[in-house]
Amino acid sequence: MNSFNALKKIYSRRAEIKDLPHIKVAVVGDTATQFLAMAIYGTGVERGFDIELFEAEYNQVERQFLDKASDLYRFDADYIVVFQSTHKLLTRYGKCGDADRLRLADERLDFVRTICETTDAKIIYCNYPEIDDAVFGNFANQVEFSFLYQLRKLNYKLMEVARECPNLYICDLATIQNKLGRDAVFQPSIYVSTEMVLSIEALPWVASRILDIICALKGKIKKCLVLDLDNTLWGGVIGDDGIENIQIGHGLGIGKAFSEFQLWIKKLKERGVILAVCSKNTESVAKEPFVKHPDMILKLDDIAVFVANWENKADNIRRIQQILNIGFDSMVFLDDNPFERNMVRANIPDIVVPELPEDPGEYLEYLYGLNLFETVSYSAADSERTRQYQVEARRVSERMSFANEDEFLASLEMVSDIQAFTPFNIPRVAQLSQRSNQFNLRTVRYTEGDIERMGKDPERYAPFTFTLADKFGDNGLICVVILEKDNRAKTLFIDTWFMSCRVLKRGMERFTLNVLVRYARENGFKKIIGEYIPTVKNKMVEDHYAQLGFVKLPEMEKNLYMLDVDSYIDKTCYILSK
């Protein structure tokens, strides 16, 4: 975590920042937010964004949101950070009678719902670190109009409101205070003289959590956790100590730390994070604890790719990356050995390699603080991800036995189910929209609310979702196309085309285009227009439309491509419609 002074220096050089993706962030608060805005900017640059900042005047949250002519709306932010402090809430509470105190939380929640309805921007709302005013002592937990009761109710109900409002995301300041301690987060002498609620020490933590959310919304998330084994997942060296002597288990001692560490990793896997093993070991020896040790929490079925040999770990991680077909910047590598950590950092700069503490008992608290696996979506399909990548590893292995690519594809017996948007697939579509970076032609991010809205507008949009299954297993929903109709010009514009990279080189793009052209013909459209908007990550689809037979249009500022529907000849592929 960078210090505030380091972030402030980045802010002071903002005129020099160039060639980074541009985003617009507004900060509105009821206390002094200048330093918070600086920290957000500095952290944004560290994460690869050039942030255009708008900071509202002091204590004008309500006016900025409720006045449609306000500076906030003229700025037209992509993200609005709302910081309403517990201290101002306590002041408001102190001026109320008992009846109004009883409604304190509900009144704030109604305001949050209102601001979510007034803007299409993503709202990042900071929740409320606790202040115990000690008026009722412990009995405050049983007095509904006490400040502590209302405060805890507010934080709890905020989570429910975030589930209701698709453009609302909570920045968990309460957790930061729990981590750092109230005396570190809030310094009374500074607050009294400056109206600044957050301490200089806390500002980088808060800015980091805000950027965690923005990065996740922009698709910059960690998808894979690569694990060393000896002295990382268990204590000791399996090859030297043997299975009976490695340290793991829920009794007293260091084995308990490794068991709790594995429980955390297991929960990540269940949430959808891909697990891989990269160990300097004989493979059969390395796998033995997963199969035979009674106290192992993680099993072989939890590991998508298992690489254990005596080769260079950087090369082995490259091998894992090729099988998973994800970016190195989507991967986290955990290893207890400083030499291995530094070697991987030097050879694969994009991968995140945390500096694990020497004491395994401190692993979890350290990693909790890093918040490496932020997400803005979750669906039931996430729990299937490990199995899907295990199956992909089997496909890669079988591919090597075929001399001819077409024969291999024909042997897969591939089938695709094509549907429009439904209540069942909307969460997965929104999730793919947030996560897909490489095979994403325009990289437009959509929330569940956006997807639902387009699905209910057949006059303007024609949405398609594609699954893919083969003899090895079902990949689930892996491709989404949204066509925007221009009925007068008899033209379809490809607003969105993204696809999971784990199904590349199977002809899915050709199959998809065949389906789109068939729809166009059946509905009287003569042209399909596609656009490629380049990003740092999607260069792999730079020639996508040209390779499919589209003709580049002579637009100076846009990469537009046109396909003539009448002259199109279906492309060969080995995928059948379900």
Side-chain angles (χ1 to χ4, degrees), residues 500-527:
S500 171
C501 287
R502 70 174 184 270
V503 297
L504 288 177
K505 299 182 179 179
R506 295 192 217 165
M508 191 67 207
E509 55 270 51
R510 296 193 297 272
F511 174 81
T512 300
L513 184 56
N514 289 345
V515 170
L516 300 184
V517 171
R518 184 163 62 246
Y519 172 85
R521 286 172 174 164
E522 291 172 353
N523 291 275
F525 293 97
K526 299 298 183 182
K527 296 177 183 177

Side-chain angles (χ1 to χ4, degrees), residues 106-144:
D106 291 332
E107 185 272 332
R108 282 293 83 194
L109 294 166
D110 288 343
F111 176 71
V112 174
R113 290 187 182 94
T114 298
I115 66 176
C116 290
E117 293 170 358
T118 62
T119 178
D120 292 329
K122 307 293 190 296
I123 295 175
I124 301 174
Y125 194 94
C126 297
N127 68 3
Y128 295 83
E130 287 191 4
I131 298 175
D132 181 2
D133 62 0
V135 171
F136 286 94
N138 289 303
F139 196 62
N141 291 283
Q142 295 165 255
V143 179
E144 190 173 359

Side-chain angles (χ1 to χ4, degrees), residues 365-388:
E365 288 300 321
Y366 169 72
L367 291 167
Y368 292 164
L370 295 183
N371 192 37
L372 292 169
F373 296 98
E374 181 73 51
T375 186
V376 290
S377 63
Y378 174 77
S379 73
D382 288 349
S383 60
E384 290 290 302
R385 189 164 289 118
T386 292
R387 184 189 59 79
Q388 291 168 350

Side-chain angles (χ1 to χ4, degrees), residues 267-273 375-386 388 423-435 448 475-478 502:
K267 288 187 291 183
L268 288 175
K269 177 259 179 181
E270 290 167 349
R271 201 210 81 184
V273 175
T375 186
V376 290
S377 63
Y378 174 77
S379 73
D382 288 349
S383 60
E384 290 290 302
R385 189 164 289 118
T386 292
Q388 291 168 350
F424 301 102
N425 66 29
I426 284 175
R428 176 61 174 157
V429 172
Q431 184 185 57
L432 274 176
S433 169
Q434 301 295 338
R435 290 172 175 265
E448 288 188 29
N475 291 280
L477 195 156
I478 47 80
R502 70 174 184 270

Side-chain angles (χ1 to χ4, degrees), residues 249-277:
H250 288 286
L252 296 178
I254 200 63
K256 180 179 182 179
F258 288 109
S259 289
E260 293 184 354
F261 185 45
Q262 286 194 30
L263 280 169
W264 177 70
I265 294 169
K266 180 89 167 183
K267 288 187 291 183
L268 288 175
K269 177 259 179 181
E270 290 167 349
R271 201 210 81 184
V273 175
I274 310 160
L275 302 185
V277 163

Side-chain angles (χ1 to χ4, degrees), residues 166-424:
N167 62 332
L168 176 63
Y169 303 88
I170 296 173
C171 177
D172 199 346
L173 263 62
T175 294
I176 294 174
Q177 178 164 292
N178 290 342
K179 173 72 175 176
L180 301 181
R182 175 157 170 75
D183 291 343
V185 170
F186 172 70
Q187 296 173 351
S189 59
I190 294 177
Y191 171 62
V192 169
S193 58
T194 67
E195 276 284 311
M196 196 171 83
V197 170
L198 297 172
S199 69
I200 295 297
E201 180 185 354
L203 286 170
W205 288 81
V206 177
S208 180
R209 290 299 172 95
I210 290 169
L211 263 297
D212 287 343
I213 296 171
I214 292 175
C215 285
L217 287 166
K218 296 291 286 183
K220 297 179 72 169
I221 60 174
K222 305 305 176 192
K223 302 177 182 178
C224 175
L225 178 59
V226 183
L227 298 159
D228 174 50
L229 298 179
D230 295 328
N231 291 311
T232 300
L233 280 191
W234 55 69
V237 178
I238 184 63
D240 294 336
D241 300 327
I243 192 170
E244 300 86 358
N245 296 312
I246 60 172
Q247 295 168 304
I248 190 170
H250 288 286
L252 296 178
I254 200 63
K256 180 179 182 179
F258 288 109
S259 289
E260 293 184 354
F261 185 45
Q262 286 194 30
L263 280 169
W264 177 70
I265 294 169
K266 180 89 167 183
K267 288 187 291 183
L268 288 175
K269 177 259 179 181
E270 290 167 349
R271 201 210 81 184
V273 175
I274 310 160
L275 302 185
V277 163
C278 178
S279 174
K280 281 188 175 177
N281 246 313
T282 302
E283 182 173 328
S284 60
V285 175
K287 288 183 174 179
E288 191 177 10
F290 291 87
V291 177
K292 296 181 179 180
H293 200 293
D295 292 322
M296 278 290 290
I297 306 298
L298 296 173
K299 305 296 183 183
L300 285 180
D301 286 346
D302 297 316
I303 309 301
V305 182
F306 198 111
V307 178
N309 54 41
W310 298 100
E311 297 175 17
N312 180 296
K313 282 197 176 182
D315 290 340
N316 281 335
I317 289 174
R318 291 188 184 99
R319 178 182 169 191
I320 292 169
Q321 183 266 339
Q322 289 171 356
I323 292 173
L324 298 177
N325 207 1
I326 60 176
F328 286 117
D329 60 351
S330 299
M331 303 172 76
V332 177
F333 175 55
L334 297 183
D335 195 311
D336 70 294
N337 189 322
F339 171 82
E340 300 289 0
R341 293 198 297 262
N342 290 328
M343 188 271 294
V344 170
R345 286 191 194 107
N347 286 277
I348 311 176
D350 288 341
I351 195 170
V352 172
V353 186
E355 194 68 12
L356 284 178
E358 290 186 14
D359 183 353
E362 297 180 5
Y363 284 179
L364 280 178
E365 288 300 321
Y366 169 72
L367 291 167
Y368 292 164
L370 295 183
N371 192 37
L372 292 169
F373 296 98
E374 181 73 51
T375 186
V376 290
S377 63
Y378 174 77
S379 73
D382 288 349
S383 60
E384 290 290 302
R385 189 164 289 118
T386 292
R387 184 189 59 79
Q388 291 168 350
Y389 279 103
Q390 287 171 332
V391 170
E392 180 58 23
R394 289 168 56 198
R395 289 191 190 97
V396 171
S397 177
E398 177 154 321
R399 170 66 187 89
M400 298 174 66
S401 67
F402 283 84
N404 182 285
E405 182 78 17
D406 288 343
E407 290 179 6
F408 168 66
L409 293 176
S411 76
L412 289 177
E413 303 169 9
M414 293 181 286
V415 178
S416 179
D417 184 18
I418 309 159
Q419 294 188 14
F421 295 157
T422 71
F424 301 102

Side-chain angles (χ1 to χ4, degrees), residues 313 457 522 544 547:
K313 282 197 176 182
D457 190 0
E522 291 172 353
H544 173 74
Q547 290 172 351

